[in-house]
Amino acid sequence: MPTWLIIVIVVLILLAAGGILARSQQLKRSRPAFERNLAQVERDLVTAAAADRGWDREHLEAAARRIGTERLGSEPEELTLIEVLDRPGTDEDQAVFDVRAGGKNHRLVLGRRDGEWMAAER
């Protein structure tokens, strides 16, 4: 095996190992912020639900599953509510989900019209 090929392989292995290490450190640093944001979403949802029954968690997740199935072509494997936008009135409300379906992650934005949850664009 030529020397230059060995050097290229070693450099590629070092770059891959460095990338893996850097990504794991970045995830470790960003995890607390993610947890805080997720906790804030939960608090926002509780606040919204107290003021408006349309924010009922079961009702909201059922709509997300239905819309996710329609849009993605398969039943969502996992739903994670990541953002709640409870604006004045109900037609401006939005709920943002991370949806895992078909082995891939998708972003699903729901909005309300006439009290019903439907797909919305952000």
Side-chain angles (χ1 to χ4, degrees), residues 76-92:
E77 300 149 13
E78 182 179 344
L79 290 173
T80 304
L81 181 63
I82 59 170
E83 188 174 4
V84 171
L85 300 169
D86 188 20
R87 297 184 178 123
T90 57
D91 285 349
E92 298 297 317

Side-chain angles (χ1 to χ4, degrees), residues 61-113:
E61 285 186 359
R65 285 195 182 283
R66 176 180 50 81
I67 294 166
T69 301
E70 292 170 2
R71 285 198 147 190
L72 305 174
S74 66
E75 176 78 19
E77 300 149 13
E78 182 179 344
L79 290 173
T80 304
L81 181 63
I82 59 170
E83 188 174 4
V84 171
L85 300 169
D86 188 20
R87 297 184 178 123
T90 57
D91 285 349
E92 298 297 317
D93 292 347
Q94 288 189 334
V96 183
F97 284 87
D98 270 340
V99 179
R100 183 156 182 80
K104 295 182 179 179
N105 289 329
H106 306 274
R107 175 88 21 121
L108 179 64
V109 180
L110 302 182
R112 284 208 284 184
R113 190 173 311 133

Side-chain angles (χ1 to χ4, degrees), residues 20-40:
I20 291 169
L21 182 63
R23 179 66 176 149
S24 68
Q25 292 299 316
Q26 187 267 334
L27 287 174
K28 190 185 298 183
R29 284 190 311 271
S30 66
R31 185 72 182 179
F34 173 78
E35 294 293 334
R36 282 191 306 275
N37 289 340
L38 190 57
Q40 182 62 45

